Amino acid sequence: MERHPITPRPDWQRTVEEQGLVYPLTRHPDGSLRPYWDESAYYSFTLPEVEALEETVEELHRMCLAAAGHIVTAGRFADLGITDPRIARAVAESWHRRAELPTVYARFDLRYDGTGPAKLLEYNADTPTSLVEAASPQWFWMRDRFPGADQWNSLHERLVAAWRKQAPLLPPGSPLHFAHSSADELGEDLMTVAYLKETAEQAGLDTDWISMEEIGFDSLTGRFVDNRLRFIRSCFKLYPWEWLTTDRFGGHVLDTLDNGGGTGSTLWIEPAWKMLLSNKALLAILWELYPDHPNLLAAHLDGPRELARTTGWAAKPLLGREGAGITLHEPGADPVIREEACCYQELAPLPSFDGNRVVLGAWVVEDEAAGLGIRESSGPVTDEYARFLPHVIL
């Protein structure tokens, strides 16, 4: 794994916008616009490195599924902050019916520098973003700059194949709705949903748009309806389950889930059991089930324990996006316990390449490793101001 400076392509911003990346620039707190898509450098990997990472990702995915099963069987929902028994029942029911429920994609965040085993930082299996840039613009960048090279990137083909394979699980006779929140100011969620909608259409599915705010509930029929009062029989939503079950219509969501997937229910994608894999408590449960696994970092739910005197720790809220609320603590610091529920994970500083802190986003489609996206940040936590850089296999 190496980082290489390179001259950006002429008119690169227009090029990536035409390829679906609607925000190639981001506005920073000082008001300046800086590249989010950054092709002033790229990363290269060897084929053996990528093959090893693929094996790691698929093993981690199997371990996470086993951990989800353990949470359900042992009834450990409270460890994830799920204290509403109706939500716990809905998640458990979803898990037991998982063979009947479509699930498409997820993303691991990994610490890796090319010199040792990749370490799991977290898993977002409910509402992962940075998909478009990983699937499309970086592929076309490679074809422009390194036409003889390869890339860890079969995302588009695998997504289309996943929709086609899982189409029989969708209710017949109505479109698959694609929904995001209209409060998405940056446009990242809209961009991601638009791309996934396109892959579903390429798989032959009938689709339609709706925003989460436009979804209505017909109290007479007990059904969710769209802005044309049509029953929403299936919906891909880029909207976290912890919001969906607790906002204004949360009770109706739980009512339809209690229906056990009957004819009056809305089939939500991703399914409710994905709440188990997008919660940082998963990291601590994995460490319990697979202690000292080479791809895991030590993690606990009741405090940093031995990490306070050995490696230091990162305190991560159980729910959150883009590094929000994460605090880092060096060894020897006072082992303060946060008021909000957190996972206390072994401190593993992100590797620095030319002063840039790097995290690998490894994608899973269905149950297989499908591609890689790389984000760089200036600080120790990957946040909303991170930059996306392309990669090649040389």
Side-chain angles (χ1 to χ4, degrees):
M1 177 180 177
E2 295 183 352
R3 187 182 194 272
H4 311 271
I6 192 172
T7 301
R9 294 167 295 176
D11 204 14
W12 63 268
Q13 182 176 339
R14 179 187 59 81
T15 298
V16 298
E17 285 176 339
E18 291 176 349
Q19 293 163 354
L21 186 60
V22 300
Y23 61 105
L25 304 174
T26 55
R27 189 171 297 279
H28 284 243
D30 62 6
S32 64
L33 284 172
R34 305 179 195 175
Y36 165 68
W37 169 268
D38 186 354
E39 58 179 73
S40 66
Y42 69 96
Y43 284 84
S44 66
F45 297 81
T46 66
L47 182 59
E49 279 182 307
V50 169
E51 290 174 338
L53 285 169
E54 287 180 323
E55 291 180 3
T56 294
V57 166
E58 293 183 359
E59 181 177 6
L60 285 171
H61 180 66
R62 290 191 294 269
M63 291 162 56
C64 288
L65 293 179
H70 166 76
I71 294 168
V72 172
T73 301
R76 298 186 61 178
F77 297 101
D79 286 339
L80 281 68
I82 300 175
T83 56
D84 185 328
R86 292 191 67 196
I87 297 177
R89 285 198 304 272
V91 173
E93 173 69 14
S94 172
W95 173 255
H96 293 311
R97 295 180 54 232
R98 63 190 180 279
E100 309 166 27
L101 303 176
T103 175
V104 183
Y105 76 135
R107 190 194 73 229
F108 283 103
D109 283 349
L110 304 174
R111 186 206 181 277
Y112 181 72
D113 63 5
T115 62
K119 298 287 187 178
L120 173 61
L121 297 173
E122 59 186 70
Y123 196 18
N124 188 337
D126 184 15
T127 58
T129 54
S130 76
L131 175 67
V132 175
E133 48 270 52
S136 180
Q138 77 161 340
W139 176 260
F140 289 109
W141 170 88
M142 181 198 68
R143 293 184 62 179
D144 286 345
R145 302 309 305 265
F146 298 94
D150 200 357
Q151 192 173 82
W152 182 11
N153 186 2
S154 58
L155 274 165
H156 189 85
E157 297 83 356
R158 287 183 183 271
L159 287 167
V160 173
W163 288 120
R164 187 176 293 123
K165 176 182 175 183
Q166 299 190 63
L169 300 178
L170 299 174
S174 62
L176 170 61
H177 286 76
F178 281 79
H180 74 290
S181 174
S182 59
D184 170 33
E185 295 180 359
L186 185 61
E188 182 176 22
D189 291 356
L190 171 60
M191 177 181 73
T192 303
V193 169
Y195 175 66
L196 285 164
K197 182 175 182 292
E198 178 185 345
T199 60
E201 289 169 352
Q202 291 185 19
L205 300 183
D206 181 21
T207 69
D208 204 350
W209 277 111
I210 194 167
S211 72
M212 294 299 298
E213 291 77 8
E214 290 176 312
I215 295 176
F217 188 77
D218 184 342
S219 58
L220 294 178
T221 63
R223 294 175 169 182
F224 287 102
V225 295
D226 66 13
N227 46 12
R228 288 189 275 170
L229 301 182
R230 297 177 302 175
F231 172 29
I232 300 175
R233 302 192 67 188
S234 58
C235 182
F236 175 91
K237 46 88 189 157
L238 200 69
Y239 196 76
W241 269 102
E242 63 267 19
W243 297 357
L244 190 65
T245 54
T246 57
D247 67 10
R248 186 162 60 98
F249 285 154
H252 298 316
V253 173
L254 294 173
D255 286 341
T256 59
L257 291 176
D258 284 343
N259 192 28
T263 56
S265 301
T266 296
L267 178 67
W268 301 99
I269 307 171
E270 297 288 327
W273 65 264
K274 285 294 194 82
M275 292 178 73
L276 304 173
L277 303 188
S278 293
N279 186 303
K280 307 298 189 301
L282 174 74
L283 303 171
I285 292 171
L286 283 169
W287 187 249
E288 290 178 23
L289 298 177
Y290 305 96
D292 299 317
H293 189 282
N295 300 119
L296 297 179
L297 297 167
H300 311 292
L301 293 176
D302 57 356
R305 298 190 194 177
E306 78 286 352
L307 306 177
R309 56 181 170 75
T310 55
T311 62
W313 74 95
K316 298 182 174 183
L318 298 188
L319 301 170
R321 300 179 69 179
E322 296 182 323
I326 293 177
T327 57
L328 306 181
H329 307 264
E330 297 293 331
D334 291 336
V336 177
I337 307 300
R338 297 261 294 264
E339 288 188 11
E340 64 181 318
C342 286
C343 176
Y344 299 85
Q345 187 184 47
E346 175 185 343
L347 184 62
L350 296 178
S352 176
F353 287 77
D354 300 332
N356 302 285
R357 304 295 186 93
V358 181
V359 65
L360 302 191
W363 291 93
V364 172
V365 175
E366 293 187 295
D367 295 317
E368 296 184 345
L372 174 68
I374 300 173
R375 287 171 294 160
E376 285 186 346
S377 57
S378 301
V381 176
T382 306
D383 58 18
E384 60 187 310
Y385 304 112
R387 304 171 298 279
F388 186 97
L389 277 75
H391 77 278
V392 295
I393 302 172
L394 297 177

